[in-house]
Amino acid sequence: MRTLREIPALREALADVRRRGERIALVPTMGNLHDGHLALVAAARERADVVIATIFVNPMQFGPNEDLDAYPRTLEADQAGLEAAGCDLLFAPEVSTVYPRPLEAQTRIAVPEVTEGLCGGSRPGHFDGVTTIVGMLFNLVQPDFACFGEKDYQQLAVIRRMVADLHFPIEIVGVPIVRAEDGLALSSRNGYLSAEQRAVAPRLYQTLGELREALEAGEATGPTLARGYARLQQAGFAPDYLELRAADLGPVTPTTREAVLLAAARLGATRLIDNLTLTLPR
Ligand code: PAF
């Protein structure tokens, strides 16, 4: 697996791939890879001749008081993991390569509506940073497929909307959440948790599971969510949100059947997110 740092080298490598008429799958990441990321590479491998991963801790998607500086940078281990997973090419640029101008002078991509509320509400500007970098990577790599995890449910919906609105000829592949044995969704941020917090963290998934069961059995949404919120607080979480939305992230109406429960909650300074899809009864 080759690691490229510069845009001209990436373009040159891609020109060879295109000359050979091969199909390209892109796996954008911020590094510190775990089995969830490797599942993205596996999904990419199934679909394409050439798999390109990117590692870039994107400053534009972090708020002023977020963990940009603390975000783990583990390039050597990531390279080994990607190579073993069958990745062909890694693009790992410096910040100054991606954003040669100050961030505030940088052209941005902003997706309306689907970015409102949930993580878009608790992390203002976050999704503009995500769509700007992902749109830029789409433009640089021009893949046939791009793979994203379903753990970031709203991010996946936002990227799908961007691709539709800007007519990117790219198939977006959503890859199911990979969980630890105790149910905790794998995330690079799990590494911030103390041993005690790590023992509590699976309660987020367990609570969503209990709520799903209640909602699928026809219990009323308001009291069910309020009970879940209280359970999370009792377990030691500070919830950012706990919501039921239609699967497309629109509001739940009496005719909604396919829905999703979404939560973000802090354990100490660590913000965890998770979601479960469900079918509401008639
Ligand atoms: O999901 C992530 O790791 C990031 O938001 C992404 C899609 C790589 C953009 O920086």
Side-chain angles (χ1 to χ4, degrees), residues 27-31 37 40 54-59 61-62 71 99 123 126-127 129-131 133-134 137 147-149 151-152 155 159 188-189:
V27 180
T29 81
M30 298 205 300
H37 295 109
L40 302 181
T54 65
I55 293 181
F56 181 64
V57 183
N58 174 31
Q61 70 188 74
F62 287 78
Y71 201 88
Y99 301 125
R123 303 184 69 190
H126 168 68
F127 285 120
V130 170
T131 43
I133 189 64
V134 171
L137 292 171
C147 301
F148 296 89
K151 180 173 75 69
D152 297 283
Q155 169 173 283
I159 289 168
S188 300
R189 291 191 167 98

PDB file of all heavy atoms in Angstrom, residues 27-31 37 40 54-59 61-62 71 99 123 126-127 129-131 133-134 137 147-149 151-152 155 159 188-189, ligand 1:
ATOM      1  N   VAL A  27     -12.665   5.448   1.106  1.00  0.00           N
ATOM      2  CA  VAL A  27     -13.014   5.324   2.528  1.00  0.00           C
ATOM      3  C   VAL A  27     -12.397   6.514   3.269  1.00  0.00           C
ATOM      4  O   VAL A  27     -11.233   6.463   3.665  1.00  0.00           O
ATOM      5  CB  VAL A  27     -12.486   3.987   3.119  1.00  0.00           C
ATOM      6  CG1 VAL A  27     -12.855   3.880   4.594  1.00  0.00           C
ATOM      7  CG2 VAL A  27     -13.035   2.792   2.345  1.00  0.00           C
ATOM      8  N   PRO A  28     -13.177   7.590   3.461  1.00  0.00           N
ATOM      9  CA  PRO A  28     -12.622   8.742   4.177  1.00  0.00           C
ATOM     10  C   PRO A  28     -12.616   8.488   5.691  1.00  0.00           C
ATOM     11  O   PRO A  28     -13.618   8.017   6.239  1.00  0.00           O
ATOM     12  CB  PRO A  28     -13.601   9.896   3.852  1.00  0.00           C
ATOM     13  CG  PRO A  28     -14.477   9.386   2.758  1.00  0.00           C
ATOM     14  CD  PRO A  28     -14.500   7.892   2.912  1.00  0.00           C
ATOM     15  N   THR A  29     -11.515   8.775   6.368  1.00  0.00           N
ATOM     16  CA  THR A  29     -11.444   8.592   7.824  1.00  0.00           C
ATOM     17  C   THR A  29     -10.624   9.737   8.438  1.00  0.00           C
ATOM     18  O   THR A  29      -9.971  10.494   7.726  1.00  0.00           O
ATOM     19  CB  THR A  29     -10.743   7.266   8.234  1.00  0.00           C
ATOM     20  OG1 THR A  29      -9.322   7.452   8.186  1.00  0.00           O
ATOM     21  CG2 THR A  29     -11.130   6.091   7.347  1.00  0.00           C
ATOM     22  N   MET A  30     -10.684   9.773   9.764  1.00  0.00           N
ATOM     23  CA  MET A  30      -9.790  10.689  10.487  1.00  0.00           C
ATOM     24  C   MET A  30      -8.706   9.887  11.213  1.00  0.00           C
ATOM     25  O   MET A  30      -8.051  10.399  12.124  1.00  0.00           O
ATOM     26  CB  MET A  30     -10.590  11.538  11.474  1.00  0.00           C
ATOM     27  CG  MET A  30     -11.614  12.424  10.765  1.00  0.00           C
ATOM     28  SD  MET A  30     -12.069  13.895  11.682  1.00  0.00           S
ATOM     29  CE  MET A  30     -12.739  13.194  13.166  1.00  0.00           C
ATOM     30  N   GLY A  31      -8.516   8.631  10.831  1.00  0.00           N
ATOM     31  CA  GLY A  31      -7.455   7.826  11.420  1.00  0.00           C
ATOM     32  C   GLY A  31      -7.858   7.247  12.765  1.00  0.00           C
ATOM     33  O   GLY A  31      -9.025   7.215  13.127  1.00  0.00           O
ATOM     34  N   HIS A  37     -13.795   0.967  11.085  1.00  0.00           N
ATOM     35  CA  HIS A  37     -13.182   1.483   9.849  1.00  0.00           C
ATOM     36  C   HIS A  37     -12.806   0.330   8.919  1.00  0.00           C
ATOM     37  O   HIS A  37     -12.944   0.436   7.699  1.00  0.00           O
ATOM     38  CB  HIS A  37     -11.904   2.272  10.171  1.00  0.00           C
ATOM     39  CG  HIS A  37     -12.141   3.521  10.965  1.00  0.00           C
ATOM     40  ND1 HIS A  37     -11.773   3.632  12.283  1.00  0.00           N
ATOM     41  CD2 HIS A  37     -12.684   4.706  10.621  1.00  0.00           C
ATOM     42  CE1 HIS A  37     -12.085   4.836  12.717  1.00  0.00           C
ATOM     43  NE2 HIS A  37     -12.646   5.511  11.737  1.00  0.00           N
ATOM     44  N   LEU A  40     -15.456  -0.716   6.809  1.00  0.00           N
ATOM     45  CA  LEU A  40     -15.649   0.175   5.646  1.00  0.00           C
ATOM     46  C   LEU A  40     -14.717  -0.250   4.511  1.00  0.00           C
ATOM     47  O   LEU A  40     -15.111  -0.291   3.337  1.00  0.00           O
ATOM     48  CB  LEU A  40     -15.342   1.638   6.004  1.00  0.00           C
ATOM     49  CG  LEU A  40     -16.123   2.291   7.145  1.00  0.00           C
ATOM     50  CD1 LEU A  40     -15.692   3.746   7.325  1.00  0.00           C
ATOM     51  CD2 LEU A  40     -17.618   2.226   6.893  1.00  0.00           C
ATOM     52  N   THR A  54      -8.516   7.601   3.138  1.00  0.00           N
ATOM     53  CA  THR A  54      -7.873   8.871   3.474  1.00  0.00           C
ATOM     54  C   THR A  54      -7.843   8.999   4.991  1.00  0.00           C
ATOM     55  O   THR A  54      -8.757   8.526   5.686  1.00  0.00           O
ATOM     56  CB  THR A  54      -8.612  10.087   2.866  1.00  0.00           C
ATOM     57  OG1 THR A  54      -9.911  10.184   3.447  1.00  0.00           O
ATOM     58  CG2 THR A  54      -8.755   9.964   1.361  1.00  0.00           C
ATOM     59  N   ILE A  55      -6.783   9.598   5.484  1.00  0.00           N
ATOM     60  CA  ILE A  55      -6.684   9.928   6.905  1.00  0.00           C
ATOM     61  C   ILE A  55      -6.416  11.422   6.981  1.00  0.00           C
ATOM     62  O   ILE A  55      -5.387  11.902   6.482  1.00  0.00           O
ATOM     63  CB  ILE A  55      -5.551   9.146   7.598  1.00  0.00           C
ATOM     64  CG1 ILE A  55      -5.892   7.645   7.626  1.00  0.00           C
ATOM     65  CG2 ILE A  55      -5.342   9.668   9.018  1.00  0.00           C
ATOM     66  CD1 ILE A  55      -4.847   6.774   8.318  1.00  0.00           C
ATOM     67  N   PHE A  56      -7.359  12.139   7.576  1.00  0.00           N
ATOM     68  CA  PHE A  56      -7.188  13.582   7.719  1.00  0.00           C
ATOM     69  C   PHE A  56      -8.046  14.041   8.893  1.00  0.00           C
ATOM     70  O   PHE A  56      -9.275  13.908   8.849  1.00  0.00           O
ATOM     71  CB  PHE A  56      -7.625  14.303   6.430  1.00  0.00           C
ATOM     72  CG  PHE A  56      -7.460  15.792   6.498  1.00  0.00           C
ATOM     73  CD1 PHE A  56      -6.193  16.362   6.627  1.00  0.00           C
ATOM     74  CD2 PHE A  56      -8.566  16.633   6.457  1.00  0.00           C
ATOM     75  CE1 PHE A  56      -6.042  17.742   6.713  1.00  0.00           C
ATOM     76  CE2 PHE A  56      -8.420  18.017   6.532  1.00  0.00           C
ATOM     77  CZ  PHE A  56      -7.152  18.572   6.655  1.00  0.00           C
ATOM     78  N   VAL A  57      -7.398  14.504   9.947  1.00  0.00           N
ATOM     79  CA  VAL A  57      -8.130  15.046  11.097  1.00  0.00           C
ATOM     80  C   VAL A  57      -8.511  16.467  10.700  1.00  0.00           C
ATOM     81  O   VAL A  57      -7.672  17.361  10.693  1.00  0.00           O
ATOM     82  CB  VAL A  57      -7.284  14.982  12.387  1.00  0.00           C
ATOM     83  CG1 VAL A  57      -8.111  15.491  13.569  1.00  0.00           C
ATOM     84  CG2 VAL A  57      -6.809  13.557  12.659  1.00  0.00           C
ATOM     85  N   ASN A  58      -9.773  16.612  10.330  1.00  0.00           N
ATOM     86  CA  ASN A  58     -10.236  17.800   9.612  1.00  0.00           C
ATOM     87  C   ASN A  58     -10.571  18.934  10.587  1.00  0.00           C
ATOM     88  O   ASN A  58     -11.632  18.896  11.227  1.00  0.00           O
ATOM     89  CB  ASN A  58     -11.486  17.398   8.805  1.00  0.00           C
ATOM     90  CG  ASN A  58     -12.146  18.576   8.140  1.00  0.00           C
ATOM     91  OD1 ASN A  58     -11.483  19.538   7.777  1.00  0.00           O
ATOM     92  ND2 ASN A  58     -13.466  18.499   7.997  1.00  0.00           N
ATOM     93  N   PRO A  59      -9.713  19.954  10.668  1.00  0.00           N
ATOM     94  CA  PRO A  59      -9.967  20.992  11.681  1.00  0.00           C
ATOM     95  C   PRO A  59     -11.299  21.709  11.468  1.00  0.00           C
ATOM     96  O   PRO A  59     -11.891  22.190  12.425  1.00  0.00           O
ATOM     97  CB  PRO A  59      -8.793  21.965  11.506  1.00  0.00           C
ATOM     98  CG  PRO A  59      -8.204  21.662  10.176  1.00  0.00           C
ATOM     99  CD  PRO A  59      -8.518  20.233   9.862  1.00  0.00           C
ATOM    100  N   GLN A  61     -14.200  20.628  10.967  1.00  0.00           N
ATOM    101  CA  GLN A  61     -15.411  20.027  11.542  1.00  0.00           C
ATOM    102  C   GLN A  61     -15.396  19.987  13.070  1.00  0.00           C
ATOM    103  O   GLN A  61     -16.301  19.427  13.681  1.00  0.00           O
ATOM    104  CB  GLN A  61     -15.670  18.643  10.956  1.00  0.00           C
ATOM    105  CG  GLN A  61     -14.689  17.557  11.363  1.00  0.00           C
ATOM    106  CD  GLN A  61     -14.924  16.270  10.579  1.00  0.00           C
ATOM    107  OE1 GLN A  61     -14.593  16.174   9.405  1.00  0.00           O
ATOM    108  NE2 GLN A  61     -15.500  15.264  11.224  1.00  0.00           N
ATOM    109  N   PHE A  62     -14.350  20.578  13.669  1.00  0.00           N
ATOM    110  CA  PHE A  62     -14.272  20.637  15.134  1.00  0.00           C
ATOM    111  C   PHE A  62     -14.652  22.041  15.599  1.00  0.00           C
ATOM    112  O   PHE A  62     -14.202  23.037  15.009  1.00  0.00           O
ATOM    113  CB  PHE A  62     -12.845  20.354  15.612  1.00  0.00           C
ATOM    114  CG  PHE A  62     -12.426  18.906  15.494  1.00  0.00           C
ATOM    115  CD1 PHE A  62     -12.055  18.377  14.258  1.00  0.00           C
ATOM    116  CD2 PHE A  62     -12.404  18.076  16.605  1.00  0.00           C
ATOM    117  CE1 PHE A  62     -11.670  17.048  14.137  1.00  0.00           C
ATOM    118  CE2 PHE A  62     -12.016  16.744  16.493  1.00  0.00           C
ATOM    119  CZ  PHE A  62     -11.654  16.227  15.269  1.00  0.00           C
ATOM    120  N   TYR A  71      -7.322  14.722  19.536  1.00  0.00           N
ATOM    121  CA  TYR A  71      -7.771  13.612  18.688  1.00  0.00           C
ATOM    122  C   TYR A  71      -6.580  12.714  18.361  1.00  0.00           C
ATOM    123  O   TYR A  71      -5.535  13.189  17.889  1.00  0.00           O
ATOM    124  CB  TYR A  71      -8.425  14.137  17.405  1.00  0.00           C
ATOM    125  CG  TYR A  71      -9.324  13.095  16.781  1.00  0.00           C
ATOM    126  CD1 TYR A  71     -10.652  12.986  17.156  1.00  0.00           C
ATOM    127  CD2 TYR A  71      -8.827  12.182  15.860  1.00  0.00           C
ATOM    128  CE1 TYR A  71     -11.474  12.006  16.631  1.00  0.00           C
ATOM    129  CE2 TYR A  71      -9.637  11.196  15.330  1.00  0.00           C
ATOM    130  CZ  TYR A  71     -10.962  11.121  15.724  1.00  0.00           C
ATOM    131  OH  TYR A  71     -11.769  10.139  15.207  1.00  0.00           O
ATOM    132  N   TYR A  99      -5.987  22.833   3.182  1.00  0.00           N
ATOM    133  CA  TYR A  99      -6.480  24.207   3.371  1.00  0.00           C
ATOM    134  C   TYR A  99      -5.291  25.168   3.333  1.00  0.00           C
ATOM    135  O   TYR A  99      -4.768  25.550   4.393  1.00  0.00           O
ATOM    136  CB  TYR A  99      -7.189  24.332   4.730  1.00  0.00           C
ATOM    137  CG  TYR A  99      -8.373  23.414   4.936  1.00  0.00           C
ATOM    138  CD1 TYR A  99      -8.425  22.557   6.036  1.00  0.00           C
ATOM    139  CD2 TYR A  99      -9.461  23.424   4.070  1.00  0.00           C
ATOM    140  CE1 TYR A  99      -9.526  21.728   6.257  1.00  0.00           C
ATOM    141  CE2 TYR A  99     -10.567  22.585   4.277  1.00  0.00           C
ATOM    142  CZ  TYR A  99     -10.586  21.743   5.376  1.00  0.00           C
ATOM    143  OH  TYR A  99     -11.670  20.926   5.595  1.00  0.00           O
ATOM    144  N   ARG A 123     -23.481  20.655  17.697  1.00  0.00           N
ATOM    145  CA  ARG A 123     -22.128  20.974  17.192  1.00  0.00           C
ATOM    146  C   ARG A 123     -22.266  21.960  16.010  1.00  0.00           C
ATOM    147  O   ARG A 123     -22.098  21.565  14.851  1.00  0.00           O
ATOM    148  CB  ARG A 123     -21.407  19.697  16.738  1.00  0.00           C
ATOM    149  CG  ARG A 123     -21.288  18.637  17.823  1.00  0.00           C
ATOM    150  CD  ARG A 123     -20.477  17.438  17.343  1.00  0.00           C
ATOM    151  NE  ARG A 123     -19.076  17.773  17.152  1.00  0.00           N
ATOM    152  CZ  ARG A 123     -18.177  16.962  16.560  1.00  0.00           C
ATOM    153  NH1 ARG A 123     -18.563  15.778  16.110  1.00  0.00           N
ATOM    154  NH2 ARG A 123     -16.923  17.333  16.423  1.00  0.00           N
ATOM    155  N   HIS A 126     -20.410  21.947  12.447  1.00  0.00           N
ATOM    156  CA  HIS A 126     -19.738  20.648  12.272  1.00  0.00           C
ATOM    157  C   HIS A 126     -19.970  20.079  10.873  1.00  0.00           C
ATOM    158  O   HIS A 126     -19.026  19.682  10.183  1.00  0.00           O
ATOM    159  CB  HIS A 126     -20.236  19.682  13.345  1.00  0.00           C
ATOM    160  CG  HIS A 126     -19.860  18.254  13.113  1.00  0.00           C
ATOM    161  ND1 HIS A 126     -18.557  17.808  13.192  1.00  0.00           N
ATOM    162  CD2 HIS A 126     -20.613  17.161  12.784  1.00  0.00           C
ATOM    163  CE1 HIS A 126     -18.533  16.506  12.922  1.00  0.00           C
ATOM    164  NE2 HIS A 126     -19.756  16.092  12.667  1.00  0.00           N
ATOM    165  N   PHE A 127     -21.238  20.062  10.452  1.00  0.00           N
ATOM    166  CA  PHE A 127     -21.519  19.391   9.173  1.00  0.00           C
ATOM    167  C   PHE A 127     -21.003  20.190   7.977  1.00  0.00           C
ATOM    168  O   PHE A 127     -20.707  19.599   6.939  1.00  0.00           O
ATOM    169  CB  PHE A 127     -23.007  19.069   9.044  1.00  0.00           C
ATOM    170  CG  PHE A 127     -23.407  17.894   9.898  1.00  0.00           C
ATOM    171  CD1 PHE A 127     -24.370  18.027  10.888  1.00  0.00           C
ATOM    172  CD2 PHE A 127     -22.804  16.658   9.730  1.00  0.00           C
ATOM    173  CE1 PHE A 127     -24.720  16.948  11.677  1.00  0.00           C
ATOM    174  CE2 PHE A 127     -23.143  15.573  10.519  1.00  0.00           C
ATOM    175  CZ  PHE A 127     -24.108  15.711  11.496  1.00  0.00           C
ATOM    176  N   GLY A 129     -18.138  21.518   7.959  1.00  0.00           N
ATOM    177  CA  GLY A 129     -16.764  21.013   7.886  1.00  0.00           C
ATOM    178  C   GLY A 129     -16.718  19.637   7.250  1.00  0.00           C
ATOM    179  O   GLY A 129     -15.853  19.340   6.423  1.00  0.00           O
ATOM    180  N   VAL A 130     -17.679  18.792   7.621  1.00  0.00           N
ATOM    181  CA  VAL A 130     -17.714  17.431   7.065  1.00  0.00           C
ATOM    182  C   VAL A 130     -17.978  17.480   5.564  1.00  0.00           C
ATOM    183  O   VAL A 130     -17.263  16.849   4.767  1.00  0.00           O
ATOM    184  CB  VAL A 130     -18.787  16.568   7.782  1.00  0.00           C
ATOM    185  CG1 VAL A 130     -18.987  15.245   7.049  1.00  0.00           C
ATOM    186  CG2 VAL A 130     -18.402  16.322   9.235  1.00  0.00           C
ATOM    187  N   THR A 131     -19.005  18.234   5.150  1.00  0.00           N
ATOM    188  CA  THR A 131     -19.351  18.215   3.717  1.00  0.00           C
ATOM    189  C   THR A 131     -18.262  18.913   2.887  1.00  0.00           C
ATOM    190  O   THR A 131     -18.023  18.512   1.744  1.00  0.00           O
ATOM    191  CB  THR A 131     -20.738  18.854   3.460  1.00  0.00           C
ATOM    192  OG1 THR A 131     -20.872  20.047   4.234  1.00  0.00           O
ATOM    193  CG2 THR A 131     -21.840  17.892   3.828  1.00  0.00           C
ATOM    194  N   ILE A 133     -14.952  18.850   3.495  1.00  0.00           N
ATOM    195  CA  ILE A 133     -13.826  17.930   3.271  1.00  0.00           C
ATOM    196  C   ILE A 133     -14.259  16.740   2.410  1.00  0.00           C
ATOM    197  O   ILE A 133     -13.515  16.311   1.508  1.00  0.00           O
ATOM    198  CB  ILE A 133     -13.163  17.466   4.594  1.00  0.00           C
ATOM    199  CG1 ILE A 133     -11.874  16.694   4.308  1.00  0.00           C
ATOM    200  CG2 ILE A 133     -14.079  16.586   5.428  1.00  0.00           C
ATOM    201  CD1 ILE A 133     -10.785  17.468   3.655  1.00  0.00           C
ATOM    202  N   VAL A 134     -15.451  16.229   2.661  1.00  0.00           N
ATOM    203  CA  VAL A 134     -15.878  15.050   1.884  1.00  0.00           C
ATOM    204  C   VAL A 134     -16.095  15.455   0.423  1.00  0.00           C
ATOM    205  O   VAL A 134     -15.686  14.741  -0.502  1.00  0.00           O
ATOM    206  CB  VAL A 134     -17.128  14.393   2.514  1.00  0.00           C
ATOM    207  CG1 VAL A 134     -17.701  13.311   1.608  1.00  0.00           C
ATOM    208  CG2 VAL A 134     -16.777  13.792   3.880  1.00  0.00           C
ATOM    209  N   LEU A 137     -12.711  15.699  -1.140  1.00  0.00           N
ATOM    210  CA  LEU A 137     -12.141  14.367  -1.418  1.00  0.00           C
ATOM    211  C   LEU A 137     -12.848  13.721  -2.612  1.00  0.00           C
ATOM    212  O   LEU A 137     -12.199  13.077  -3.449  1.00  0.00           O
ATOM    213  CB  LEU A 137     -12.232  13.467  -0.183  1.00  0.00           C
ATOM    214  CG  LEU A 137     -11.349  13.890   0.999  1.00  0.00           C
ATOM    215  CD1 LEU A 137     -11.674  13.060   2.237  1.00  0.00           C
ATOM    216  CD2 LEU A 137      -9.861  13.784   0.661  1.00  0.00           C
ATOM    217  N   CYS A 147     -17.630   4.831   1.137  1.00  0.00           N
ATOM    218  CA  CYS A 147     -18.197   4.063   2.246  1.00  0.00           C
ATOM    219  C   CYS A 147     -18.138   4.869   3.546  1.00  0.00           C
ATOM    220  O   CYS A 147     -17.079   5.429   3.890  1.00  0.00           O
ATOM    221  CB  CYS A 147     -17.419   2.762   2.437  1.00  0.00           C
ATOM    222  SG  CYS A 147     -17.443   1.730   0.947  1.00  0.00           S
ATOM    223  N   PHE A 148     -19.272   4.910   4.252  1.00  0.00           N
ATOM    224  CA  PHE A 148     -19.370   5.636   5.525  1.00  0.00           C
ATOM    225  C   PHE A 148     -20.118   4.767   6.525  1.00  0.00           C
ATOM    226  O   PHE A 148     -21.031   4.012   6.156  1.00  0.00           O
ATOM    227  CB  PHE A 148     -20.147   6.952   5.334  1.00  0.00           C
ATOM    228  CG  PHE A 148     -19.460   7.915   4.413  1.00  0.00           C
ATOM    229  CD1 PHE A 148     -19.695   7.871   3.040  1.00  0.00           C
ATOM    230  CD2 PHE A 148     -18.558   8.846   4.907  1.00  0.00           C
ATOM    231  CE1 PHE A 148     -19.046   8.745   2.174  1.00  0.00           C
ATOM    232  CE2 PHE A 148     -17.915   9.727   4.054  1.00  0.00           C
ATOM    233  CZ  PHE A 148     -18.154   9.680   2.690  1.00  0.00           C
ATOM    234  N   GLY A 149     -19.786   4.927   7.811  1.00  0.00           N
ATOM    235  CA  GLY A 149     -20.409   4.118   8.846  1.00  0.00           C
ATOM    236  C   GLY A 149     -21.794   4.638   9.222  1.00  0.00           C
ATOM    237  O   GLY A 149     -22.031   5.852   9.232  1.00  0.00           O
ATOM    238  N   LYS A 151     -22.984   4.470  12.150  1.00  0.00           N
ATOM    239  CA  LYS A 151     -22.971   5.044  13.508  1.00  0.00           C
ATOM    240  C   LYS A 151     -23.221   6.549  13.426  1.00  0.00           C
ATOM    241  O   LYS A 151     -23.959   7.108  14.222  1.00  0.00           O
ATOM    242  CB  LYS A 151     -21.653   4.773  14.219  1.00  0.00           C
ATOM    243  CG  LYS A 151     -21.635   5.381  15.628  1.00  0.00           C
ATOM    244  CD  LYS A 151     -20.411   4.994  16.405  1.00  0.00           C
ATOM    245  CE  LYS A 151     -19.190   5.714  15.959  1.00  0.00           C
ATOM    246  NZ  LYS A 151     -19.198   7.157  16.280  1.00  0.00           N
ATOM    247  N   ASP A 152     -22.593   7.190  12.449  1.00  0.00           N
ATOM    248  CA  ASP A 152     -22.813   8.625  12.224  1.00  0.00           C
ATOM    249  C   ASP A 152     -24.009   8.767  11.281  1.00  0.00           C
ATOM    250  O   ASP A 152     -23.865   9.129  10.113  1.00  0.00           O
ATOM    251  CB  ASP A 152     -21.543   9.258  11.646  1.00  0.00           C
ATOM    252  CG  ASP A 152     -20.378   9.157  12.613  1.00  0.00           C
ATOM    253  OD1 ASP A 152     -20.339   9.922  13.573  1.00  0.00           O
ATOM    254  OD2 ASP A 152     -19.523   8.277  12.418  1.00  0.00           O
ATOM    255  N   GLN A 155     -24.626  12.142   9.696  1.00  0.00           N
ATOM    256  CA  GLN A 155     -23.562  12.442   8.724  1.00  0.00           C
ATOM    257  C   GLN A 155     -23.829  11.719   7.405  1.00  0.00           C
ATOM    258  O   GLN A 155     -23.687  12.289   6.317  1.00  0.00           O
ATOM    259  CB  GLN A 155     -22.217  12.012   9.307  1.00  0.00           C
ATOM    260  CG  GLN A 155     -21.078  12.020   8.297  1.00  0.00           C
ATOM    261  CD  GLN A 155     -19.729  11.748   8.921  1.00  0.00           C
ATOM    262  OE1 GLN A 155     -19.163  12.631   9.540  1.00  0.00           O
ATOM    263  NE2 GLN A 155     -19.194  10.547   8.777  1.00  0.00           N
ATOM    264  N   ILE A 159     -24.403  13.485   3.823  1.00  0.00           N
ATOM    265  CA  ILE A 159     -23.549  13.206   2.655  1.00  0.00           C
ATOM    266  C   ILE A 159     -24.405  12.729   1.477  1.00  0.00           C
ATOM    267  O   ILE A 159     -24.188  13.142   0.333  1.00  0.00           O
ATOM    268  CB  ILE A 159     -22.441  12.198   3.031  1.00  0.00           C
ATOM    269  CG1 ILE A 159     -21.433  12.900   3.954  1.00  0.00           C
ATOM    270  CG2 ILE A 159     -21.735  11.657   1.784  1.00  0.00           C
ATOM    271  CD1 ILE A 159     -20.459  11.992   4.643  1.00  0.00           C
ATOM    272  N   SER A 188     -13.400   6.022  17.697  1.00  0.00           N
ATOM    273  CA  SER A 188     -12.064   6.453  18.122  1.00  0.00           C
ATOM    274  C   SER A 188     -12.141   7.142  19.478  1.00  0.00           C
ATOM    275  O   SER A 188     -11.199   7.097  20.266  1.00  0.00           O
ATOM    276  CB  SER A 188     -11.476   7.412  17.091  1.00  0.00           C
ATOM    277  OG  SER A 188     -11.383   6.747  15.850  1.00  0.00           O
ATOM    278  N   ARG A 189     -13.275   7.777  19.771  1.00  0.00           N
ATOM    279  CA  ARG A 189     -13.400   8.525  21.033  1.00  0.00           C
ATOM    280  C   ARG A 189     -13.560   7.598  22.244  1.00  0.00           C
ATOM    281  O   ARG A 189     -13.394   8.055  23.376  1.00  0.00           O
ATOM    282  CB  ARG A 189     -14.549   9.524  20.953  1.00  0.00           C
ATOM    283  CG  ARG A 189     -14.230  10.660  19.987  1.00  0.00           C
ATOM    284  CD  ARG A 189     -15.205  11.819  20.062  1.00  0.00           C
ATOM    285  NE  ARG A 189     -14.693  12.974  19.351  1.00  0.00           N
ATOM    286  CZ  ARG A 189     -15.024  13.318  18.091  1.00  0.00           C
ATOM    287  NH1 ARG A 189     -15.870  12.580  17.411  1.00  0.00           N
ATOM    288  NH2 ARG A 189     -14.486  14.394  17.526  1.00  0.00           N
TER     289      ARG A 189
HETATM  290  O1  PAF B   1     -16.658  10.188  10.002  1.00  0.00           O
HETATM  291  C1  PAF B   1     -15.508  10.682   9.972  1.00  0.00           C
HETATM  292  O2  PAF B   1     -14.507  10.080  10.370  1.00  0.00           O
HETATM  293  C2  PAF B   1     -15.344  12.078   9.420  1.00  0.00           C
HETATM  294  O3  PAF B   1     -16.436  12.893   9.747  1.00  0.00           O
HETATM  295  C3  PAF B   1     -15.082  12.104   7.899  1.00  0.00           C
HETATM  296  C4  PAF B   1     -16.268  11.540   7.128  1.00  0.00           C
HETATM  297  C5  PAF B   1     -13.836  11.284   7.583  1.00  0.00           C
HETATM  298  C6  PAF B   1     -14.853  13.536   7.425  1.00  0.00           C
HETATM  299  O4  PAF B   1     -13.760  14.113   8.054  1.00  0.00           O
END
